[in-house]
Amino acid sequence: IAPDSGYAVFFFPAAIEALGAAIEPFLQHDNGELHMLCREVDTGGAFIELTVLRESAEGQPQQVELMVPANMVRLIMSVHSDGSFGFARSRTPMRY
């Protein structure tokens, strides 16, 4: 997954401990805190579905879908860079 697309999913420390070795290969430790980079996230239910891209043992791209209880997830952060968004001052003047 590109570093400027998808979602960063942060888990509670107790969740990481409870999930153990099953989740370890999917976790990253960038910026000081364990998280999972996901292509897609579906929060429509008691379980959160996480779609992750990774390499198979043969080095081929592989899409993996994980489902974790919603109460294990602390934060889901969008890492999309779709252009400008927000309330920052525009560089071009507005015309009325």
Side-chain angles (χ1 to χ4, degrees):
I1 188 166
D4 62 348
S5 65
Y7 301 89
V9 178
F10 296 85
F11 297 90
F12 287 105
I16 293 172
E17 185 178 333
L19 294 169
I23 201 162
E24 271 184 36
F26 301 99
L27 294 175
Q28 298 186 10
H29 196 284
D30 301 334
N31 301 324
E33 191 157 353
L34 286 174
H35 64 281
M36 182 185 301
L37 282 180
C38 301
R39 181 179 201 174
E40 296 176 18
V41 175
D42 182 357
T43 60
F47 287 86
I48 296 178
E49 185 176 331
L50 309 168
T51 304
V52 180
L53 295 179
R54 59 177 284 172
E55 286 186 8
S56 68
E58 295 80 29
Q60 299 297 318
Q62 182 180 46
Q63 181 171 299
V64 179
E65 293 180 2
L66 306 167
M67 295 181 76
V68 298
N71 65 352
M72 289 187 164
V73 175
R74 183 175 55 164
L75 173 70
I76 300 172
M77 182 182 301
S78 171
V79 290
H80 292 105
S81 66
D82 296 335
S84 61
F85 175 79
F87 300 98
R89 185 169 287 179
S90 174
R91 295 178 189 233
T92 58
M94 293 179 63
R95 295 190 176 141
Y96 297 98

